[in-house]
């Protein structure tokens, strides 16, 4: 029998069987009434998930493509921008903005730190920025930044606020309009329960106005072209879209809104608690903060004499469980369990038990048998321990 696989990473994430079945249907042409009806439904549903009255541009590309689209659409070479980075993905903003010739001011925190709104406000006092690029959930460290607070200070300083919510949208609370976020980005293969290949960008009117003044070269990623097609009645797409992925996104977002955003946030909050409780019970040290807000990915320090990458490999070979190691400067030092999207507490328990097994076999000193009961209990689904 082929070995069963468990995917417990912060992207890609498991895809529900209903979504896989929808994507396996014969391809339909995108310029048909059938596909346009699907687009109409999907374009109406996406803003609800972003909690916005703005249009959400649907792009066929990775999440990084959506990040690049934000820089290309909002900035001209030489524009002063501020990047707030406390990990791998925050630093990606700086790399993209530098690639487009922006004049980048960077507030760089140690990886694992949480950005402070006061730091952002005082930097904006010193130097104006046209755009501030933020990260909601820094997937490389497990930290969730208080984007609401950060954004408030940026809007006060007159800057457009762009948020990478790639691993957080649909998993933890994010209110685009109420928090004053001009652009919010995500991709299909995180909490939205689809394969990789689609990206979404909600775009405010102020951001659209900036787009018409920005001189960075762009064509495929030009939001005006995308949104013009989306606003036609019946709606259209500017280019050949990822048809099967979009059929999947329609099915997946229907599952999400049927569950209800509040219920989804609560489930993720409890999954985070369960994972952290299991890690603590094993006697391991958390790298990500031990707080409810960090409900996307739990980052765990591995014992210093072990290479965390080896633990990840051993888990996959021994148990068919895929988690992920550290990125960049955290390579070899941490493992990360993702708990977003189509994940329940038993997926988390499976990941914890496979981690325990791999660590024991590598000779680490962990408390055996304690993690799973603690996780179930913290989820409210077990017999109290
Ligand atoms: C996954 C991720 C990205 C990159 O998205 P891709 O779709 O892989 O390009 C960017 N930022 C964050 C926070 C992510 O979690």
């Amino acid at each position: 029998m082929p070995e069963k696989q468990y995917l417990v990473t912060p992207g890609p994430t498991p895809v529900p069987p209903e979504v896989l079945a929808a994507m396996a249907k014969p391809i339909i042409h995108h310029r048909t009434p059938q596909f346009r009806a699907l687009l109409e439904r999907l374009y109406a549903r996406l803003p609800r998930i972003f909690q916005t009255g703005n249009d959400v541009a649907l792009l066929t590309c990775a999440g990084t493509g959506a990040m690049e689209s934000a820089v290309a659409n909002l900035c001209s070479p030489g524009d002063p921008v501020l990047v707030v980075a406390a990990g791998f993905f925050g630093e990606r903003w700086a790399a993209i903005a530098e690639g487009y010739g922006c004049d980048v001011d960077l507030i760089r925190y140690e990886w694992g730190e949480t950005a402070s709104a006061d730091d952002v406000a005082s930097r904006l006092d010193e130097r104006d920025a046209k755009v501030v690029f933020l990260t909601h959930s820094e997937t490389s460290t497990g930290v969730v930044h208080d984007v609401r607070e950060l954004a408030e200070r940026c809007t006060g300083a007159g800057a457009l606020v762009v948020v990478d919510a790639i691993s957080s949208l649909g998993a933890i609370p994010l209110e685009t309009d109420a928090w004053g976020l001009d652009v919010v980005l995500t991709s299909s293969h995180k909490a939205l329960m689809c394969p990789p290949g689609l990206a979404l960008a909600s775009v405010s009117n102020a951001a659209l106005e900036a787009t018409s003044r920005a001189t960075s070269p762009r064509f495929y990623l030009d939001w005006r072209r995308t949104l013009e097609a989306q606003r036609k009645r019946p709606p259209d797409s500017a280019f050949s879209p990822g048809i099967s992925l979009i059929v999947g996104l329609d099915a997946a977002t229907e599952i999400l809104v049927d569950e209800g955003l509040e219920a989804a946030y609560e489930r993720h909050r409890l999954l985070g608690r369960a994972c952290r409780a299991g890690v603590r019970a094993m006697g391991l040290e958390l790298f990500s903060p031990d707080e409810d807000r960090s409900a996307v990915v739990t980052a765990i320090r591995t014992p210093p004499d072990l290479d965390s990458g080896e633990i990840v490999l051993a888990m996959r070979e021994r148990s068919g469980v895929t988690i992920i190691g550290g990125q960049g400067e955290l390579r070899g030092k941490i493992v990360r369990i993702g708990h977003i999207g189509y994940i329940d507490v038993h997926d988390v328990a499976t990941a914890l038990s496979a981690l325990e097994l791999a660590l024991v076999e590598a000779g680490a000193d962990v408390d055996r048998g304690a993690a799973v009961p603690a996780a179930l209990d913290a989820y409210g689904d077990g017999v109290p321990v």
Side-chain angles (χ1 to χ4, degrees):
M1 176 168 151
E3 193 185 24
K4 193 160 177 181
Q5 297 291 322
Y6 302 85
L7 185 59
V8 206
T9 73
T13 62
V15 178
E18 296 84 347
V19 177
L20 292 171
M23 288 190 308
K25 286 189 189 151
I27 301 280
I28 51 176
H29 197 283
H30 55 288
R31 313 235 189 255
T32 55
Q34 203 184 354
F35 193 70
R36 290 184 204 269
L38 183 153
L39 284 181
E40 185 149 26
R41 178 166 77 221
L42 181 61
Y43 292 156
R45 191 187 293 134
L46 291 174
R48 286 171 61 192
I49 298 171
F50 282 73
Q51 303 192 40
T52 183
N54 300 325
D55 283 338
V56 176
L58 172 57
L59 305 165
T60 297
C61 62
T64 306
M67 294 172 76
E68 181 156 349
S69 80
V71 176
N73 280 281
L74 298 176
C75 302
S76 307
D79 273 352
V81 303
L82 176 63
V83 171
V84 181
F88 186 82
F89 291 109
E91 291 183 9
R92 180 168 291 179
W93 272 133
I96 298 172
E98 271 157 19
Y100 275 80
C102 298
D103 181 3
V104 180
D105 193 10
L106 174 65
I107 302 183
R108 185 187 191 274
Y109 294 95
E110 292 298 315
W111 289 27
E113 286 186 344
T114 302
S116 128
D118 287 342
D119 290 352
V120 172
S122 62
R123 192 66 76 96
L124 288 172
D125 271 347
E126 284 163 26
R127 200 190 92 140
D128 282 342
K130 183 176 175 194
V131 186
V132 180
F133 294 98
L134 304 174
T135 310
H136 188 206
S137 157
E138 177 48 77
T139 316
S140 65
T141 66
V143 169
V144 171
H145 298 285
D146 191 341
V147 154
R148 174 191 208 150
E149 216 188 9
L150 296 170
E152 215 172 72
R153 311 295 276 273
C154 304
T155 324
L160 290 170
V161 180
V162 177
V163 179
D164 169 354
I166 292 179
S167 64
S168 56
L169 192 97
I172 58 176
L174 184 145
E175 300 177 40
T176 300
D177 289 355
W179 297 1
L181 313 179
D182 290 290
V183 176
V184 175
L185 311 172
T186 195
S187 54
S188 51
H189 62 296
K190 309 270 171 132
L192 296 186
M193 307 181 283
C194 286
L198 296 177
L200 302 167
S202 93
V203 184
S204 72
N205 286 333
L208 266 185
E209 274 167 34
T211 289
S212 59
R213 291 189 302 271
T215 62
S216 290
R218 58 196 185 272
F219 184 87
Y220 182 74
L221 293 177
D222 196 318
W223 291 336
R224 289 168 300 180
R225 206 168 261 115
T226 302
L227 290 177
E228 194 185 313
Q230 290 188 197
R231 286 170 177 171
K232 284 185 186 155
R233 286 294 167 264
D236 201 354
S237 36
F239 314 104
S240 298
I243 295 170
S244 305
L245 292 168
I246 291 172
V247 168
L249 187 65
D250 177 48
T253 50
E254 189 180 355
I255 291 174
L256 179 59
V257 298
D258 279 354
E259 180 184 15
L261 282 179
E262 291 303 325
Y265 299 155
E266 174 68 2
R267 175 169 55 85
H268 285 91
R269 197 167 62 83
L270 292 176
L271 289 172
R273 275 191 196 173
C275 195
R276 294 192 302 276
V279 168
R280 284 194 310 262
M282 234 188 281
L284 294 172
E285 193 188 332
L286 285 163
F287 179 82
S288 49
D290 193 354
E291 59 186 27
D292 273 346
R293 205 164 74 195
S294 285
V296 170
V297 55
T298 299
I300 305 149
R301 277 188 204 279
T302 42
D305 50 328
L306 295 179
D307 175 351
S308 69
E310 296 294 323
I311 298 298
V312 169
L313 281 177
M315 287 174 66
R316 192 151 49 229
E317 270 163 33
R318 179 80 160 82
S319 315
V321 174
T322 300
I323 65 166
I324 193 84
Q327 290 167 288
E329 60 187 56
L330 295 172
R331 188 173 297 276
K333 298 181 181 144
I334 61 169
V335 294
R336 291 173 296 148
I337 297 176
H339 27 76
I340 47 172
Y342 187 55
I343 291 281
D344 68 13
V345 72
H346 302 292
D347 294 308
V348 171
T350 299
L352 289 167
S353 72
L355 174 62
E356 178 182 321
L357 186 60
L359 286 170
V360 168
E361 289 187 342
D365 179 24
V366 296
D367 285 329
R368 299 187 62 179
V372 169
L376 295 177
D377 182 37
Y379 193 78
D381 196 26
V383 179
V385 287

